[in-house]
Amino acid sequence: MTTRRDLVQASRALSHTGILDAFGHVSARDGDMVVLPPAVPPGRAERDDLLEMDVEGRIVRGDGRPHDEHALHRRIYAAREDVGAVVHHHAPAVLPFVTAGEDIRPVSRLGAPFEDPIPVFDDFDDADGHLVTSDAEADRLAATLGDGLAVVLAGNGAVVVGETVREATVFTWYMAANAETQYRASHLGDPDPVGDEDSLAATAATLTNAIAVDRVWSYLTGG
Amino acid sequence: MTTRRDLVQASRALSHTGILDAFGHVSARDGDMVVLPPAVPPGRAERDDLLEMDVEGRIVRGDGRPHDEHALHRRIYAAREDVGAVVHHHAPAVLPFVTAGEDIRPVSRLGAPFEDPIPVFDDFDDADGHLVTSDAEADRLAATLGDGLAVVLAGNGAVVVGETVREATVFTWYMAANAETQYRASHLGDPDPVGDEDSLAATAATLTNAIAVDRVWSYLTGG
Amino acid sequence: MTTRRDLVQASRALSHTGILDAFGHVSARDGDMVVLPPAVPPGRAERDDLLEMDVEGRIVRGDGRPHDEHALHRRIYAAREDVGAVVHHHAPAVLPFVTAGEDIRPVSRLGAPFEDPIPVFDDFDDADGHLVTSDAEADRLAATLGDGLAVVLAGNGAVVVGETVREATVFTWYMAANAETQYRASHLGDPDPVGDEDSLAATAATLTNAIAVDRVWSYLTGG
Amino acid sequence: MTTRRDLVQASRALSHTGILDAFGHVSARDGDMVVLPPAVPPGRAERDDLLEMDVEGRIVRGDGRPHDEHALHRRIYAAREDVGAVVHHHAPAVLPFVTAGEDIRPVSRLGAPFEDPIPVFDDFDDADGHLVTSDAEADRLAATLGDGLAVVLAGNGAVVVGETVREATVFTWYMAANAETQYRASHLGDPDPVGDEDSLAATAATLTNAIAVDRVWSYLTGG
C-alpha cells in the first residue's frame, strides 16, 4: 500500500520540480506485478487510477489505458531483481546533454552515486522513433543500464532506478541537479569529477543511505 | 461553445507557462467568423470579452477593441482550411533565435512535428515595424507558413497553428520546449535533428495524435 | 492620489517580477514635491509609509527614513520637466551588462523605445562607491540620461523614467525583457537591432502609446 | 530566544530562495553552546526541533539526530569570537564556480563585502569525500576562512558567517546574487571587480551596516 501512495506522491513531487512534465512516468514492482499510472500527465494521476500489469504487459487490474513505454519498465524489473522502482523522465537539465551527445559526469557531490559517465542507450527500433515500446528494445536498454542507477536515452530522456520508489525519486533529483551544475560549470571551465574513485564512493555512500534518502524525500514531498 | 471556453483556457494556460505575457494572442475559427480576444493581456480575457470578426476584419459581435494584428489571424484561416486555431507568441525560449537569426530545428522529441528548420518570415510592411497588420503582409506570412505548423516572425515572435485550440496550444508548448533544449544544447555541442526523416515522422505521429494532445492539454490547463 | 496608489502597486509588481528585490526604488513627482518610499524593500512599502520630499531633499511629510539615493530622483525631476516617475533597479537580466561593460541594444521589439545603445553613467563620486547620493553626482547622471528613457549605472544598475508611474514601470519591464533576450541571443550569434531607425521608431510608437502602457500595466499588476 | 526564532526563519527564507535545498544548514552561537537543526531539510525544521551542542560535539539539549557536519560549525565558532552564526549552503549560483574551480570575485555591488577572490578550501580528509566532519578538518577550513565572511568548499559548496543569524543570512544572499551576476557576465565579457579597493570598501560599508541588513532580512523573510 505504501508503494502505491509513494508512487502517486513521487509523480507529483517530480512534477512540481519540473523534472516530469506532461510526459514521463514512475512505476513500482509489487511482487510479480508492475504498478504504473495510466497515460496521463504524471502529476495528475490519483491512487485509484493506478494500473497493475503482469510480466507480459497485460493489465490485470484497473481500467485506464497504459502509456506506450511499459516494456521499458517491465524489462528492467525482469533484468534487475534489486530494482523496485523505475523513473523515466525528460528533465530540462538533462535534455541538453541527451541532445548534444555530451556525457553526464559526476562533477558535483550529487552526481557521485552514478557511473562516470552515465551510459547512453542509442539502439532504438526504427518503427516508433525514440520511444521504447518493444520487449527486445527494452532488453537492450536494460543491458545498457547494467547494474547502474541511470541510463540516458539518446534523443529522448533518461531512466533512473532504485530499490524503492523513494530511492528512484531521490536519485532522479540527484541526476537532474548534477546535470544542471555540469551544464553551468561547462561555461566557466572544464569540470572534472569531484574527487577520485574512492572519494566518489565515499560521497555516494553518504547520499544513498536511508537517512539521506528520507531527508531528500521529505524535501521533495513536503512530508 | 467549447471553442470559446478552450480559447480562454488556452490564453491563461500559455500565460501561466510564460509563453504568453502582456502580448500575444490566441484565436479560433467559428464557421465564417474569427473569435479573438480584445487588446488585453491574454491571461486576463474572460469569455464575455471575446469578439467575433468577419473575414474583412469587421467586428460583428462584442464591443471591445481588437488587437492590431487580426489580419495575421484572418489571412491564415483564409489560406488554410485545415486550421481552426492560431497562436501568436513571443516565448522567451524562442526570442533568442528570432533575434539572432538562428534556425529552430527539431533537436529534441518535442520538435519532431515541425519543419526542419521552422520557416522564417521577414517581409514586413515598413509602416509599423514588425507588426503584421495589413492583409497583404499577412498573406505573405501565410505563404511562408505553407502547410506547416509554425513560422518564425523575424524580430517579432512566432505563429503556431492547429486544427483546434487544443492542438495549437499544445504545439506552441512543444515549440517553446524544443527551442529551450536547442538553446541549451547549443552550448554543449552542435545538436542535430533527433533521428532521420522517418524517425522524426514516427515521433511526430506519437505527439500529434488525439491522445497526446489531450494529455498535454490536461497538463497545461490542470483539466 | 492615483499617483501614490500607483507607486505602491508599481513597487509590488516590479518586486513580483524580480526586477526589484531588497533594493531599488520607484518615485513620483507631485507638483513641487517628490513622493518616495522609505528605506525598506520596495515590495513591502504601504501607502501610509510614503514620504514627501522637497527639491532640497528635506522630508516635508511622513516620518520614515528615506533611502540614500534620493538625489538621483530629485535631480532627474529638476532636469526633465516631462518626467513624472523614476525607477532605479538592479534587474538580474540587466546586471550582467552593467558588470561586463557590454552595451544594451534594441535587439528585440521591446527594446525599440530605448536609445541605441542605452547610455552608461560612470562618473561617480569616490566617497560612497557606486551609490548616487550627492546632487552634483546626480546632475551628471541626469546629463547622461539626456532626453532618453533609460541610463545604465556602471557597476550598480539602471534608471528608467516615464511621464507617469505606469509608464516608468512598463518601460522598466521592457528594458529587462529586452536585456534578457539580448543576453540569450548573444550566445547564438551576434544580434543586431531589430530593424532600421524608422522601423524602430514605428515599433517604439506601438509600445509607448496609452493603449500599450495600459495593457502592460494590467499584465504586471493584475489590474 | 530571538536567535532560535531567527534561525528557523533563516532556514526557511534561504530554502524559499533556493539557496538551501534538501541539504545545507544554519547554526547560531548561544554562549558556550551551538544551536543547530537536526538532520532534516533546513526548510522543515521547527523551533522545538533545534538541538544544543557543546564545544566537544555532545548534544546537551534536544533529542533529534544532528547532521554530520557539526564540526564545521563548532570549529568556526572556536576560531572566530566575532562570529555568531554560520550558514553552509550549496547555492545553485555558486556550485558552477565550486565545480569548475573558477574564482568568485566582487564583480557586482553585492559582492563588495567579500574577499577578492573568496578563498577556496580543498584540504579534505579522505575518508568521507567532501564532507567536513572531523575537528582537524574543520580547523583547516576555519584557517582558510581567516577573518573573512565566506569560504568556498571545493566540490561541495560554501560557508558564510556573520555576527548574527540575520547577518549570515543576508551575506549568504549577497554571495549567491553576486555569483549569479558573475556567471552571466562571464558570457558577455571579462567582468572586473566593481571599483578599486577604496570603492569596494565604501560599497561594502553600505551593505553590511544594520540598516541594510534589516532591509534585506525583511525582504527575505517577509518580516
Side-chain angles (χ1 to χ4, degrees), chain B residues 20 24-25 69 72-73 76 86-91 94-95 98 104 118-119 141 149-161 172 175-176:
Chain B
L20 297 177
H25 15 80
E69 294 186 294
L72 179 157
H73 295 259
I76 288 175
V86 174
V87 176
H88 177 34
H89 70 86
H90 315 84
V94 167
L95 286 187
V98 168
I104 299 179
I118 295 179
L141 171 66
L149 292 184
V151 57
V152 166
L153 279 64
N156 177 319
V159 168
V160 180
V161 301
T172 297
M175 185 190 186

PDB file of all heavy atoms in Angstrom, chain B residues 20 24-25 69 72-73 76 86-91 94-95 98 104 118-119 141 149-161 172 175-176:
ATOM      1  N   LEU B  20       3.016  33.180 -23.226  1.00  0.00           N
ATOM      2  CA  LEU B  20       2.380  34.475 -23.497  1.00  0.00           C
ATOM      3  C   LEU B  20       2.668  35.383 -22.303  1.00  0.00           C
ATOM      4  O   LEU B  20       2.818  34.915 -21.179  1.00  0.00           O
ATOM      5  CB  LEU B  20       0.868  34.323 -23.674  1.00  0.00           C
ATOM      6  CG  LEU B  20       0.395  33.472 -24.857  1.00  0.00           C
ATOM      7  CD1 LEU B  20      -1.136  33.365 -24.843  1.00  0.00           C
ATOM      8  CD2 LEU B  20       0.857  34.081 -26.190  1.00  0.00           C
ATOM      9  N   GLY B  24       0.792  38.911 -27.304  1.00  0.00           N
ATOM     10  CA  GLY B  24       0.477  37.603 -27.861  1.00  0.00           C
ATOM     11  C   GLY B  24      -1.024  37.371 -27.820  1.00  0.00           C
ATOM     12  O   GLY B  24      -1.734  38.033 -27.046  1.00  0.00           O
ATOM     13  N   HIS B  25      -1.514  36.474 -28.691  1.00  0.00           N
ATOM     14  CA  HIS B  25      -2.961  36.228 -28.735  1.00  0.00           C
ATOM     15  C   HIS B  25      -3.260  34.892 -29.375  1.00  0.00           C
ATOM     16  O   HIS B  25      -2.535  34.389 -30.208  1.00  0.00           O
ATOM     17  CB  HIS B  25      -3.714  37.327 -29.494  1.00  0.00           C
ATOM     18  CG  HIS B  25      -2.870  38.230 -30.338  1.00  0.00           C
ATOM     19  ND1 HIS B  25      -2.428  37.875 -31.585  1.00  0.00           N
ATOM     20  CD2 HIS B  25      -2.375  39.471 -30.098  1.00  0.00           C
ATOM     21  CE1 HIS B  25      -1.710  38.872 -32.099  1.00  0.00           C
ATOM     22  NE2 HIS B  25      -1.640  39.854 -31.215  1.00  0.00           N
ATOM     23  N   GLU B  69      -3.211  43.049 -34.726  1.00  0.00           N
ATOM     24  CA  GLU B  69      -2.702  42.056 -35.669  1.00  0.00           C
ATOM     25  C   GLU B  69      -3.764  41.040 -36.093  1.00  0.00           C
ATOM     26  O   GLU B  69      -3.450  39.894 -36.374  1.00  0.00           O
ATOM     27  CB  GLU B  69      -1.477  41.346 -35.058  1.00  0.00           C
ATOM     28  CG  GLU B  69      -0.287  42.299 -34.863  1.00  0.00           C
ATOM     29  CD  GLU B  69       0.957  41.560 -34.387  1.00  0.00           C
ATOM     30  OE1 GLU B  69       0.934  41.038 -33.255  1.00  0.00           O
ATOM     31  OE2 GLU B  69       1.941  41.512 -35.151  1.00  0.00           O
ATOM     32  N   LEU B  72      -3.249  39.003 -39.337  1.00  0.00           N
ATOM     33  CA  LEU B  72      -2.404  37.802 -39.206  1.00  0.00           C
ATOM     34  C   LEU B  72      -3.274  36.568 -39.015  1.00  0.00           C
ATOM     35  O   LEU B  72      -3.065  35.527 -39.663  1.00  0.00           O
ATOM     36  CB  LEU B  72      -1.451  38.013 -38.037  1.00  0.00           C
ATOM     37  CG  LEU B  72      -0.459  36.940 -37.623  1.00  0.00           C
ATOM     38  CD1 LEU B  72       0.703  37.595 -36.852  1.00  0.00           C
ATOM     39  CD2 LEU B  72      -1.085  35.859 -36.750  1.00  0.00           C
ATOM     40  N   HIS B  73      -4.272  36.659 -38.149  1.00  0.00           N
ATOM     41  CA  HIS B  73      -5.136  35.518 -37.885  1.00  0.00           C
ATOM     42  C   HIS B  73      -6.076  35.269 -39.076  1.00  0.00           C
ATOM     43  O   HIS B  73      -6.181  34.151 -39.567  1.00  0.00           O
ATOM     44  CB  HIS B  73      -5.946  35.758 -36.599  1.00  0.00           C
ATOM     45  CG  HIS B  73      -5.091  35.823 -35.369  1.00  0.00           C
ATOM     46  ND1 HIS B  73      -4.942  34.783 -34.489  1.00  0.00           N
ATOM     47  CD2 HIS B  73      -4.314  36.823 -34.864  1.00  0.00           C
ATOM     48  CE1 HIS B  73      -4.122  35.129 -33.500  1.00  0.00           C
ATOM     49  NE2 HIS B  73      -3.737  36.374 -33.702  1.00  0.00           N
ATOM     50  N   ILE B  76      -4.516  33.697 -42.261  1.00  0.00           N
ATOM     51  CA  ILE B  76      -4.114  32.287 -42.134  1.00  0.00           C
ATOM     52  C   ILE B  76      -5.348  31.392 -42.267  1.00  0.00           C
ATOM     53  O   ILE B  76      -5.317  30.372 -42.949  1.00  0.00           O
ATOM     54  CB  ILE B  76      -3.360  32.040 -40.812  1.00  0.00           C
ATOM     55  CG1 ILE B  76      -1.965  32.680 -40.883  1.00  0.00           C
ATOM     56  CG2 ILE B  76      -3.230  30.539 -40.525  1.00  0.00           C
ATOM     57  CD1 ILE B  76      -1.158  32.625 -39.603  1.00  0.00           C
ATOM     58  N   VAL B  86      -5.134  29.696 -34.100  1.00  0.00           N
ATOM     59  CA  VAL B  86      -3.842  30.334 -34.346  1.00  0.00           C
ATOM     60  C   VAL B  86      -3.334  30.938 -33.030  1.00  0.00           C
ATOM     61  O   VAL B  86      -4.095  31.599 -32.329  1.00  0.00           O
ATOM     62  CB  VAL B  86      -3.970  31.458 -35.405  1.00  0.00           C
ATOM     63  CG1 VAL B  86      -2.652  32.217 -35.563  1.00  0.00           C
ATOM     64  CG2 VAL B  86      -4.437  30.893 -36.743  1.00  0.00           C
ATOM     65  N   VAL B  87      -2.062  30.683 -32.733  1.00  0.00           N
ATOM     66  CA  VAL B  87      -1.415  31.319 -31.578  1.00  0.00           C
ATOM     67  C   VAL B  87      -0.266  32.189 -32.082  1.00  0.00           C
ATOM     68  O   VAL B  87       0.573  31.726 -32.857  1.00  0.00           O
ATOM     69  CB  VAL B  87      -0.845  30.268 -30.590  1.00  0.00           C
ATOM     70  CG1 VAL B  87      -0.093  30.959 -29.448  1.00  0.00           C
ATOM     71  CG2 VAL B  87      -1.945  29.372 -30.040  1.00  0.00           C
ATOM     72  N   HIS B  88      -0.253  33.443 -31.677  1.00  0.00           N
ATOM     73  CA  HIS B  88       0.894  34.317 -31.945  1.00  0.00           C
ATOM     74  C   HIS B  88       1.565  34.597 -30.613  1.00  0.00           C
ATOM     75  O   HIS B  88       0.917  35.093 -29.690  1.00  0.00           O
ATOM     76  CB  HIS B  88       0.436  35.615 -32.607  1.00  0.00           C
ATOM     77  CG  HIS B  88       1.560  36.598 -32.839  1.00  0.00           C
ATOM     78  ND1 HIS B  88       2.847  36.211 -33.148  1.00  0.00           N
ATOM     79  CD2 HIS B  88       1.588  37.951 -32.807  1.00  0.00           C
ATOM     80  CE1 HIS B  88       3.614  37.281 -33.303  1.00  0.00           C
ATOM     81  NE2 HIS B  88       2.868  38.346 -33.091  1.00  0.00           N
ATOM     82  N   HIS B  89       2.835  34.235 -30.494  1.00  0.00           N
ATOM     83  CA  HIS B  89       3.503  34.343 -29.194  1.00  0.00           C
ATOM     84  C   HIS B  89       4.935  34.860 -29.329  1.00  0.00           C
ATOM     85  O   HIS B  89       5.495  34.911 -30.427  1.00  0.00           O
ATOM     86  CB  HIS B  89       3.506  32.983 -28.490  1.00  0.00           C
ATOM     87  CG  HIS B  89       4.409  31.967 -29.149  1.00  0.00           C
ATOM     88  ND1 HIS B  89       5.742  31.876 -28.854  1.00  0.00           N
ATOM     89  CD2 HIS B  89       4.150  31.020 -30.083  1.00  0.00           C
ATOM     90  CE1 HIS B  89       6.280  30.910 -29.573  1.00  0.00           C
ATOM     91  NE2 HIS B  89       5.345  30.389 -30.333  1.00  0.00           N
ATOM     92  N   HIS B  90       5.483  35.255 -28.173  1.00  0.00           N
ATOM     93  CA  HIS B  90       6.871  35.717 -28.075  1.00  0.00           C
ATOM     94  C   HIS B  90       7.534  34.956 -26.940  1.00  0.00           C
ATOM     95  O   HIS B  90       8.045  35.550 -25.981  1.00  0.00           O
ATOM     96  CB  HIS B  90       6.915  37.219 -27.798  1.00  0.00           C
ATOM     97  CG  HIS B  90       5.985  38.035 -28.640  1.00  0.00           C
ATOM     98  ND1 HIS B  90       4.666  38.202 -28.312  1.00  0.00           N
ATOM     99  CD2 HIS B  90       6.167  38.714 -29.799  1.00  0.00           C
ATOM    100  CE1 HIS B  90       4.076  38.955 -29.235  1.00  0.00           C
ATOM    101  NE2 HIS B  90       4.957  39.283 -30.139  1.00  0.00           N
ATOM    102  N   ALA B  91       7.517  33.624 -27.026  1.00  0.00           N
ATOM    103  CA  ALA B  91       8.060  32.794 -25.940  1.00  0.00           C
ATOM    104  C   ALA B  91       9.526  33.160 -25.681  1.00  0.00           C
ATOM    105  O   ALA B  91      10.319  33.258 -26.608  1.00  0.00           O
ATOM    106  CB  ALA B  91       7.949  31.320 -26.305  1.00  0.00           C
ATOM    107  N   VAL B  94      12.027  31.230 -27.465  1.00  0.00           N
ATOM    108  CA  VAL B  94      12.062  31.362 -28.924  1.00  0.00           C
ATOM    109  C   VAL B  94      12.731  32.674 -29.346  1.00  0.00           C
ATOM    110  O   VAL B  94      13.413  32.747 -30.375  1.00  0.00           O
ATOM    111  CB  VAL B  94      10.626  31.255 -29.488  1.00  0.00           C
ATOM    112  CG1 VAL B  94      10.552  31.699 -30.937  1.00  0.00           C
ATOM    113  CG2 VAL B  94      10.107  29.821 -29.335  1.00  0.00           C
ATOM    114  N   LEU B  95      12.576  33.728 -28.539  1.00  0.00           N
ATOM    115  CA  LEU B  95      13.061  35.059 -28.923  1.00  0.00           C
ATOM    116  C   LEU B  95      14.557  35.107 -29.246  1.00  0.00           C
ATOM    117  O   LEU B  95      14.949  35.821 -30.178  1.00  0.00           O
ATOM    118  CB  LEU B  95      12.715  36.095 -27.853  1.00  0.00           C
ATOM    119  CG  LEU B  95      11.236  36.503 -27.791  1.00  0.00           C
ATOM    120  CD1 LEU B  95      11.065  37.646 -26.805  1.00  0.00           C
ATOM    121  CD2 LEU B  95      10.703  36.897 -29.166  1.00  0.00           C
ATOM    122  N   VAL B  98      14.833  34.117 -32.791  1.00  0.00           N
ATOM    123  CA  VAL B  98      14.204  35.157 -33.606  1.00  0.00           C
ATOM    124  C   VAL B  98      15.164  36.339 -33.779  1.00  0.00           C
ATOM    125  O   VAL B  98      15.267  36.937 -34.845  1.00  0.00           O
ATOM    126  CB  VAL B  98      12.895  35.619 -32.911  1.00  0.00           C
ATOM    127  CG1 VAL B  98      12.352  36.882 -33.551  1.00  0.00           C
ATOM    128  CG2 VAL B  98      11.865  34.497 -32.912  1.00  0.00           C
ATOM    129  N   ILE B 104      15.488  27.405 -35.836  1.00  0.00           N
ATOM    130  CA  ILE B 104      14.964  26.461 -34.848  1.00  0.00           C
ATOM    131  C   ILE B 104      14.775  25.116 -35.546  1.00  0.00           C
ATOM    132  O   ILE B 104      14.109  25.026 -36.570  1.00  0.00           O
ATOM    133  CB  ILE B 104      13.641  26.954 -34.245  1.00  0.00           C
ATOM    134  CG1 ILE B 104      13.864  28.300 -33.539  1.00  0.00           C
ATOM    135  CG2 ILE B 104      13.059  25.928 -33.275  1.00  0.00           C
ATOM    136  CD1 ILE B 104      12.608  28.895 -32.919  1.00  0.00           C
ATOM    137  N   ILE B 118      12.153  25.490 -38.952  1.00  0.00           N
ATOM    138  CA  ILE B 118      10.896  26.242 -38.984  1.00  0.00           C
ATOM    139  C   ILE B 118      11.120  27.465 -39.864  1.00  0.00           C
ATOM    140  O   ILE B 118      12.102  28.194 -39.689  1.00  0.00           O
ATOM    141  CB  ILE B 118      10.482  26.645 -37.552  1.00  0.00           C
ATOM    142  CG1 ILE B 118      10.160  25.378 -36.731  1.00  0.00           C
ATOM    143  CG2 ILE B 118       9.293  27.597 -37.581  1.00  0.00           C
ATOM    144  CD1 ILE B 118       9.756  25.639 -35.284  1.00  0.00           C
ATOM    145  N   PRO B 119      10.238  27.684 -40.882  1.00  0.00           N
ATOM    146  CA  PRO B 119      10.485  28.794 -41.810  1.00  0.00           C
ATOM    147  C   PRO B 119      10.418  30.157 -41.112  1.00  0.00           C
ATOM    148  O   PRO B 119       9.755  30.299 -40.088  1.00  0.00           O
ATOM    149  CB  PRO B 119       9.364  28.648 -42.846  1.00  0.00           C
ATOM    150  CG  PRO B 119       8.306  27.831 -42.178  1.00  0.00           C
ATOM    151  CD  PRO B 119       9.015  26.935 -41.203  1.00  0.00           C
ATOM    152  N   LEU B 141       2.840  36.261 -45.048  1.00  0.00           N
ATOM    153  CA  LEU B 141       3.162  35.421 -43.886  1.00  0.00           C
ATOM    154  C   LEU B 141       2.549  34.034 -44.042  1.00  0.00           C
ATOM    155  O   LEU B 141       3.210  33.012 -43.805  1.00  0.00           O
ATOM    156  CB  LEU B 141       2.636  36.081 -42.600  1.00  0.00           C
ATOM    157  CG  LEU B 141       2.699  35.233 -41.329  1.00  0.00           C
ATOM    158  CD1 LEU B 141       4.141  34.958 -40.914  1.00  0.00           C
ATOM    159  CD2 LEU B 141       1.954  35.900 -40.178  1.00  0.00           C
ATOM    160  N   LEU B 149       3.242  23.786 -39.380  1.00  0.00           N
ATOM    161  CA  LEU B 149       2.590  24.062 -38.098  1.00  0.00           C
ATOM    162  C   LEU B 149       3.052  25.371 -37.475  1.00  0.00           C
ATOM    163  O   LEU B 149       2.443  25.853 -36.526  1.00  0.00           O
ATOM    164  CB  LEU B 149       2.879  22.936 -37.094  1.00  0.00           C
ATOM    165  CG  LEU B 149       2.266  21.575 -37.363  1.00  0.00           C
ATOM    166  CD1 LEU B 149       2.579  20.611 -36.220  1.00  0.00           C
ATOM    167  CD2 LEU B 149       0.752  21.688 -37.535  1.00  0.00           C
ATOM    168  N   ALA B 150       4.165  25.926 -37.975  1.00  0.00           N
ATOM    169  CA  ALA B 150       4.710  27.109 -37.297  1.00  0.00           C
ATOM    170  C   ALA B 150       5.544  27.941 -38.252  1.00  0.00           C
ATOM    171  O   ALA B 150       6.063  27.441 -39.250  1.00  0.00           O
ATOM    172  CB  ALA B 150       5.570  26.696 -36.097  1.00  0.00           C
ATOM    173  N   VAL B 151       5.648  29.215 -37.929  1.00  0.00           N
ATOM    174  CA  VAL B 151       6.506  30.125 -38.680  1.00  0.00           C
ATOM    175  C   VAL B 151       7.089  31.124 -37.680  1.00  0.00           C
ATOM    176  O   VAL B 151       6.424  31.532 -36.726  1.00  0.00           O
ATOM    177  CB  VAL B 151       5.721  30.831 -39.815  1.00  0.00           C
ATOM    178  CG1 VAL B 151       4.524  31.591 -39.267  1.00  0.00           C
ATOM    179  CG2 VAL B 151       6.603  31.764 -40.616  1.00  0.00           C
ATOM    180  N   VAL B 152       8.366  31.452 -37.886  1.00  0.00           N
ATOM    181  CA  VAL B 152       9.032  32.454 -37.053  1.00  0.00           C
ATOM    182  C   VAL B 152       8.886  33.813 -37.719  1.00  0.00           C
ATOM    183  O   VAL B 152       9.066  33.929 -38.929  1.00  0.00           O
ATOM    184  CB  VAL B 152      10.528  32.100 -36.876  1.00  0.00           C
ATOM    185  CG1 VAL B 152      11.313  33.278 -36.316  1.00  0.00           C
ATOM    186  CG2 VAL B 152      10.677  30.877 -35.990  1.00  0.00           C
ATOM    187  N   LEU B 153       8.539  34.861 -36.950  1.00  0.00           N
ATOM    188  CA  LEU B 153       8.488  36.227 -37.472  1.00  0.00           C
ATOM    189  C   LEU B 153       9.765  36.944 -37.028  1.00  0.00           C
ATOM    190  O   LEU B 153       9.943  37.221 -35.839  1.00  0.00           O
ATOM    191  CB  LEU B 153       7.265  36.968 -36.920  1.00  0.00           C
ATOM    192  CG  LEU B 153       5.920  36.692 -37.605  1.00  0.00           C
ATOM    193  CD1 LEU B 153       5.490  35.250 -37.433  1.00  0.00           C
ATOM    194  CD2 LEU B 153       4.853  37.622 -37.092  1.00  0.00           C
ATOM    195  N   ALA B 154      10.634  37.227 -37.985  1.00  0.00           N
ATOM    196  CA  ALA B 154      11.931  37.837 -37.657  1.00  0.00           C
ATOM    197  C   ALA B 154      11.728  39.074 -36.790  1.00  0.00           C
ATOM    198  O   ALA B 154      10.907  39.938 -37.103  1.00  0.00           O
ATOM    199  CB  ALA B 154      12.677  38.195 -38.935  1.00  0.00           C
ATOM    200  N   GLY B 155      12.467  39.158 -35.707  1.00  0.00           N
ATOM    201  CA  GLY B 155      12.392  40.329 -34.840  1.00  0.00           C
ATOM    202  C   GLY B 155      11.079  40.508 -34.131  1.00  0.00           C
ATOM    203  O   GLY B 155      10.834  41.557 -33.527  1.00  0.00           O
ATOM    204  N   ASN B 156      10.218  39.513 -34.137  1.00  0.00           N
ATOM    205  CA  ASN B 156       8.914  39.679 -33.507  1.00  0.00           C
ATOM    206  C   ASN B 156       8.573  38.496 -32.603  1.00  0.00           C
ATOM    207  O   ASN B 156       8.503  38.655 -31.390  1.00  0.00           O
ATOM    208  CB  ASN B 156       7.858  39.866 -34.617  1.00  0.00           C
ATOM    209  CG  ASN B 156       6.441  39.977 -34.086  1.00  0.00           C
ATOM    210  OD1 ASN B 156       6.042  39.269 -33.176  1.00  0.00           O
ATOM    211  ND2 ASN B 156       5.658  40.881 -34.656  1.00  0.00           N
ATOM    212  N   GLY B 157       8.382  37.306 -33.169  1.00  0.00           N
ATOM    213  CA  GLY B 157       7.974  36.172 -32.350  1.00  0.00           C
ATOM    214  C   GLY B 157       7.698  34.992 -33.255  1.00  0.00           C
ATOM    215  O   GLY B 157       8.473  34.713 -34.161  1.00  0.00           O
ATOM    216  N   ALA B 158       6.576  34.324 -33.033  1.00  0.00           N
ATOM    217  CA  ALA B 158       6.260  33.157 -33.838  1.00  0.00           C
ATOM    218  C   ALA B 158       4.761  32.953 -33.887  1.00  0.00           C
ATOM    219  O   ALA B 158       4.013  33.510 -33.074  1.00  0.00           O
ATOM    220  CB  ALA B 158       6.941  31.914 -33.270  1.00  0.00           C
ATOM    221  N   VAL B 159       4.333  32.157 -34.869  1.00  0.00           N
ATOM    222  CA  VAL B 159       2.931  31.787 -35.027  1.00  0.00           C
ATOM    223  C   VAL B 159       2.860  30.266 -35.104  1.00  0.00           C
ATOM    224  O   VAL B 159       3.681  29.638 -35.782  1.00  0.00           O
ATOM    225  CB  VAL B 159       2.335  32.422 -36.303  1.00  0.00           C
ATOM    226  CG1 VAL B 159       0.975  31.811 -36.637  1.00  0.00           C
ATOM    227  CG2 VAL B 159       2.204  33.938 -36.124  1.00  0.00           C
ATOM    228  N   VAL B 160       1.891  29.696 -34.390  1.00  0.00           N
ATOM    229  CA  VAL B 160       1.679  28.252 -34.407  1.00  0.00           C
ATOM    230  C   VAL B 160       0.203  27.994 -34.705  1.00  0.00           C
ATOM    231  O   VAL B 160      -0.659  28.711 -34.186  1.00  0.00           O
ATOM    232  CB  VAL B 160       2.053  27.611 -33.054  1.00  0.00           C
ATOM    233  CG1 VAL B 160       1.832  26.101 -33.079  1.00  0.00           C
ATOM    234  CG2 VAL B 160       3.494  27.927 -32.675  1.00  0.00           C
ATOM    235  N   VAL B 161      -0.077  26.990 -35.519  1.00  0.00           N
ATOM    236  CA  VAL B 161      -1.470  26.694 -35.877  1.00  0.00           C
ATOM    237  C   VAL B 161      -1.833  25.253 -35.520  1.00  0.00           C
ATOM    238  O   VAL B 161      -0.958  24.407 -35.309  1.00  0.00           O
ATOM    239  CB  VAL B 161      -1.719  26.919 -37.391  1.00  0.00           C
ATOM    240  CG1 VAL B 161      -1.401  28.355 -37.780  1.00  0.00           C
ATOM    241  CG2 VAL B 161      -0.913  25.928 -38.228  1.00  0.00           C
ATOM    242  N   THR B 172       2.254  24.844 -29.516  1.00  0.00           N
ATOM    243  CA  THR B 172       3.014  26.005 -29.038  1.00  0.00           C
ATOM    244  C   THR B 172       3.941  25.608 -27.895  1.00  0.00           C
ATOM    245  O   THR B 172       5.113  26.018 -27.842  1.00  0.00           O
ATOM    246  CB  THR B 172       2.050  27.120 -28.584  1.00  0.00           C
ATOM    247  OG1 THR B 172       1.290  27.563 -29.721  1.00  0.00           O
ATOM    248  CG2 THR B 172       2.797  28.306 -27.986  1.00  0.00           C
ATOM    249  N   MET B 175       6.856  23.753 -29.298  1.00  0.00           N
ATOM    250  CA  MET B 175       7.817  24.641 -29.963  1.00  0.00           C
ATOM    251  C   MET B 175       8.721  25.324 -28.937  1.00  0.00           C
ATOM    252  O   MET B 175       9.941  25.392 -29.111  1.00  0.00           O
ATOM    253  CB  MET B 175       7.075  25.698 -30.789  1.00  0.00           C
ATOM    254  CG  MET B 175       8.024  26.578 -31.598  1.00  0.00           C
ATOM    255  SD  MET B 175       7.174  28.021 -32.335  1.00  0.00           S
ATOM    256  CE  MET B 175       8.533  28.679 -33.331  1.00  0.00           C
ATOM    257  N   ALA B 176       8.122  25.813 -27.870  1.00  0.00           N
ATOM    258  CA  ALA B 176       8.906  26.517 -26.856  1.00  0.00           C
ATOM    259  C   ALA B 176       9.846  25.556 -26.126  1.00  0.00           C
ATOM    260  O   ALA B 176      11.007  25.894 -25.845  1.00  0.00           O
ATOM    261  CB  ALA B 176       7.975  27.222 -25.869  1.00  0.00           C
TER     262      ALA B 176
END
